[in-house]
Amino acid sequence: MSLNEWYDKGLDPDEYIEAMEVNKEDLLYIYDNFSLPADEAFFEEVKNMNLRAIILTEDWCGDAMLNMPILLKISEAGNMPVKALLRDNNLELMDQYLTNGTARSIPIIIFIDSEGNEAGKWGPRASKIQAYIDEARAQLPSKDADDFEEKQKQMHRFISKSYRDDQDNWSIVYESMKETLKAI
């Protein structure tokens, strides 16, 4: 399928959010509380690019919970339509955007031009957020340790809470997405 066909298959963001069961409240919290910087020249650039975005996502994904509301704010300011595709139902597309050639990490945002060609991609995390995750993972006991699963669950809860509550993370994601869009 072409990227235009994938885009057409996607859900409108409101449809996707309405159907969420796991991270809906936190995604909406970020959306409602994140304010775009006064970046009018950048938003005008985005408008002039005439892009659309496909976001590969899943409700259970904490990274998607953090990143999608930031994307939506940028898309609104830049008149960039967005469609959401569930990763697990769209593996044919997902497998074209593997992280490090092996991982189905999400979210992945595919920016497409008016012809339906890939203009750029972003995801699954801003590099500063990835460094934070890598540091947290390095603190975990080895995978064969008796307390590994419990420590990993604690880490995931802590990270999800910081994604929701630490507005610096929101700004990091915004700047990372902006950098990707400016490079198009």
Side-chain angles (χ1 to χ4, degrees):
M1 278 194 341
S2 71
L3 288 174
N4 274 335
E5 290 169 311
W6 286 110
Y7 177 86
D8 290 342
K9 181 181 174 183
L11 299 169
D12 288 323
D14 288 343
E15 284 179 279
Y16 169 75
I17 293 167
E18 193 58 40
M20 290 178 75
E21 297 176 357
V22 180
N23 282 315
K24 180 178 184 175
E25 184 179 310
D26 290 339
L27 182 146
L28 289 173
Y29 178 86
I30 294 169
Y31 180 84
D32 290 341
N33 289 284
F34 174 68
S35 297
L36 287 170
D39 237 345
E40 296 314 312
F42 167 63
F43 302 131
E44 198 57 40
E45 281 180 56
V46 173
K47 285 178 190 174
N48 292 335
M49 286 189 245
N50 198 25
L51 297 173
R52 292 169 290 153
I54 300 166
I55 181 168
L56 285 159
T57 187
E58 286 287 346
D59 179 11
W60 47 259
C61 177
D63 288 298
M65 177 262 304
L66 167 64
N67 297 319
M68 188 169 188
I70 310 301
L71 171 67
L72 293 176
K73 291 285 189 162
I74 293 170
S75 75
E76 290 161 6
N79 284 347
M80 180 176 54
V82 174
K83 293 287 185 103
L85 287 171
L86 298 177
R87 178 197 75 174
D88 295 343
N89 294 342
N90 296 284
L91 295 178
E92 182 183 338
L93 180 62
M94 180 69 244
D95 287 349
Q96 296 175 47
Y97 292 92
L98 298 175
T99 301
N100 300 324
T102 59
R104 291 177 172 157
S105 302
I106 51 174
I108 297 293
I109 302 165
I110 307 160
F111 298 104
I112 58 176
D113 65 19
S114 57
E115 312 291 307
N117 299 308
E118 180 184 320
K121 88 168 191 61
W122 185 93
R125 295 183 181 111
S127 58
K128 287 182 183 175
I129 302 284
Q130 184 63 53
Y132 169 68
I133 298 299
D134 291 344
E135 187 177 309
R137 284 183 181 151
Q139 304 303 313
L140 289 173
S142 67
K143 287 186 178 184
D144 58 0
D146 291 342
D147 62 345
F148 173 77
E149 282 193 34
E150 180 55 35
K151 296 288 187 191
Q152 186 178 41
K153 284 178 186 172
Q154 288 174 358
M155 179 193 79
H156 286 140
R157 281 192 298 272
F158 178 80
I159 289 169
S160 287
K161 185 169 176 16
S162 75
Y163 280 1
R164 180 191 186 277
D165 297 337
D166 186 345
Q167 294 188 14
D168 288 344
N169 286 327
W170 307 353
S171 297
I172 289 167
V173 169
Y174 170 78
E175 289 299 329
S176 177
M177 287 183 186
K178 177 181 175 182
E179 186 179 308
T180 295
L181 284 163
K182 287 187 79 62
I184 294 174

